Amino acid sequence: GQNIDQPTEMTATEGAIVQINCTYQTSGFNGLFWYQQHAGEAPTFLSYNVLDGLEEKGRFSSFLSRSKGYSYLLLKELQMKDSASYLCAATTGTASKLTFGTGTRLQVTL
Amino acid sequence: GAVVSQHPSWVICKSGTSVKIECRSLDFQATTMFWYRQFPKQSLMLMATSNEGSKATYEQGVEKDKFLINHASLTLSTLTVTSAHPEDSSFYICSAHWTSGRHTQYFGPGTRLTVL
């Protein structure tokens, strides 16, 4: 079966750095997505990792270790607007089917 | 970037009625579309995979006779919730698979269904 775990909630201070972890156990793993979702809205794409290592994109970076079944999303210079849910999702098989983790609700405080 | 639309964005209906939700890829052809359901404070749960010109593939526990999916063209998939009940109230989100792009799934804005 597919199993993807994330912390349920996190709190961080504006201007700080936060790391959201994701562990996965899936068969037929292709790659790992990170999405941001604000309440009542659809997810928006943040990153996609296929190879091991860190990919940086502005304030957001994502890391993948295929051998460890582990990924993290790193958010730097946190802003209030970064308060949202962050979903990791593994893509498996040939149909690019996505299996989502439980999501992490991040609250950025002053 | 690829754009996916959903219609309606929200709907309120009476228990026992049927509701149709449309998902359209506006600027690309999508051979595969996915339908998700999301309950409050929970993550997205895949309901079914919709393939153009063939029957949808449903995830375990999803009733295919209750959630009818039709993927009649490369740009349109519809989800019909038949005989809706209050427990079907949820946020329904579709995504379209774009094979030409690295980010292979693009999400629609979602449809909020409330069954009274």
Side-chain angles (χ1 to χ4, degrees), chain B residues 39-81:
Chain B
F39 292 106
K41 296 187 177 181
Q42 294 186 24
S43 192
L44 279 72
M45 296 297 296
L46 180 66
M47 299 176 66
T49 303
S50 171
N51 299 297
E52 188 267 337
S54 64
K55 292 183 179 180
T57 304
Y58 290 81
E59 295 299 301
Q60 191 173 8
V62 178
E63 301 174 57
K64 62 180 181 180
D65 294 330
K66 180 170 181 62
F67 299 99
L68 302 178
I69 291 173
N70 185 285
H71 195 152
S73 76
L74 287 171
T75 58
L76 173 64
S77 175
T78 60
L79 167 69
T80 301
V81 183

Side-chain angles (χ1 to χ4, degrees), chain A residues 6 33 35 37 40-43 45 48-50 55 57 87 91 94-98 100-103 105, chain B residues 32 34 36 38 41-46 49 59 91 93 95 97 102-110 112:
Chain A
Q6 303 176 236
F33 285 86
Y35 288 90
Q37 186 181 30
E41 299 179 9
F45 170 83
Y48 178 51
N49 292 67
V50 176
E55 290 205 10
K57 188 187 300 183
L87 312 173
T91 179
T94 57
S96 294
K97 181 176 164 180
L98 278 178
F100 280 87
T102 52
R105 287 192 299 277
Chain B
T32 304
F34 301 90
Y36 297 86
Q38 186 176 35
K41 296 187 177 181
Q42 294 186 24
S43 192
L44 279 72
M45 296 297 296
L46 180 66
T49 303
E59 295 299 301
F91 192 46
I93 306 174
S95 71
H97 181 210
R102 185 177 182 224
H103 328 311
T104 56
Q105 282 195 39
Y106 289 87
F107 286 86
R112 175 76 58 191

